[in-house]
Every structure is written in C-alpha cells, then in structure tokens.
C-alpha cells in the first residue's frame, strides 16, 4: 500500500496521526464487538451458532483488548513495541478465527460469514497499523 493510499484512508499525511487513527479505529470496532457480545450473547449466539458462554468470554477479552489499544492510540507517540504487539495480536486473531472455523466451530451460515468477515477486518487493521508504523519510522511502505 502506498503512502498516498494510507494518507487517504487516514485522512492525514502525517505518519504519527495516521498510526494513532488506525489504532483508535481498531479500538472502537473491537470495543463495539465486545459490547455486543457481552450484552447480546444469547440472541447473537443463536444467530451465529455459537454458545453464549463463548461470546461472553470473547466479549470480556475484547473489552480489555480494546481498552489497551485505545490507551496506545491516546499516546502522543505510541511505542513501536506496543504497536507491533497489536499488529501481531490482530494477525493471530485472524489466523485463529480461520482455524476455529475449520477445526472446532459449527456456526450457522451467518456465523461462518461473520467469522470470515471479522477476521478479514482484523487482518486489515494489522496491515494498516504496520504500514503506518513503517511510514512513521521513515521506511517505504
């Protein structure tokens, strides 16, 4: 992804602000999923074909994770190590989502589509955050 494409997506050409915006967007989307899983675990479980207990556990985890990512985004200059940890956690989440779909989940069609879509979104966040970090560090993307 080119620097111009990143700037358009982030609505800024300033690498520091770009990185913070991608982290903040990740925190908002993750936090929204957390709230949905925590407050609507029963209906969502039926819709997705997942146990409500699994959604409650995932919701609690995602709430903590979203809070950590939000704290990182709030920093004037998020530390590279923290950003890399978020990138790696996002890539791991996407990989585990696909593995779970193939190995142990038995979702509804809606649940299977949701699992794939959320994994792709999370992987997309990882790629955007990694590219913005590299841009901040003055490396070509």
């Amino acid at each position: 992804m080119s620097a111009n494409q990143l700037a358009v997506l982030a609505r800024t050409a300033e690498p520091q602000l770009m990185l913070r915006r991608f982290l903040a967007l990740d925190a908002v989307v993750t936090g929204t999923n957390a709230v949905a899983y925590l407050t609507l675990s029963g209906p969502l479980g039926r819709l997705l074909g997942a146990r409500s207990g699994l959604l409650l556990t995932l919701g609690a985890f995602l709430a903590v994770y979203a809070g950590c990512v939000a704290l990182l985004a709030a920093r004037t200059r998020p530390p590279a190590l923290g950003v890399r940890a978020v990138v790696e956690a996002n890539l791991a989440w996407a990989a585990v989502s696909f593995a779970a779909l193939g190995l142990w989940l038995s979702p509804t069609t809606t649940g299977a589509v949701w699992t794939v879509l959320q994994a792709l979104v999370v992987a997309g966040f990882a790629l955007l955050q990694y590219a913005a970090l590299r841009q901040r560090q003055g490396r070509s993307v």
Side-chain angles (χ1 to χ4, degrees):
M1 178 170 286
S2 74
N4 287 339
Q5 290 171 317
L6 281 175
V8 168
L9 285 173
R11 304 191 74 164
T12 181
E14 201 279 299
Q16 188 60 40
L17 186 54
M18 186 183 303
L19 177 58
R20 293 179 64 210
R21 284 183 178 174
F22 291 143
L23 289 167
L25 181 60
D26 186 352
V28 168
V29 170
T30 302
T32 301
N33 279 339
V35 169
Y37 290 172
L38 289 169
T39 60
L40 300 169
S41 63
L44 282 176
R46 289 186 292 280
L47 177 68
L48 302 175
R51 295 183 333 272
S52 63
L54 173 64
L55 293 181
L56 286 170
T57 301
L58 289 174
F61 171 79
L62 291 174
V64 171
Y65 182 75
C68 292
V69 175
L71 287 173
L72 196 59
R75 305 268 310 255
T76 304
R77 183 171 173 84
L81 185 61
V83 175
R84 282 190 202 101
V86 168
V87 168
E88 290 174 11
N90 282 344
L91 291 174
W93 179 274
V96 169
S97 294
F98 285 117
L101 191 57
L103 297 175
W104 65 83
L105 292 180
S106 299
T108 62
T109 300
T110 302
V113 169
W114 173 254
T115 302
V116 169
L117 290 178
Q118 63 83 31
L120 292 174
V121 167
V122 171
F125 282 144
L127 295 175
L128 290 171
Q129 292 156 351
Y130 178 74
L133 178 62
R134 288 185 54 90
Q135 183 86 9
R136 183 182 83 177
Q137 294 171 334
R139 299 181 190 150
S140 61
V141 182

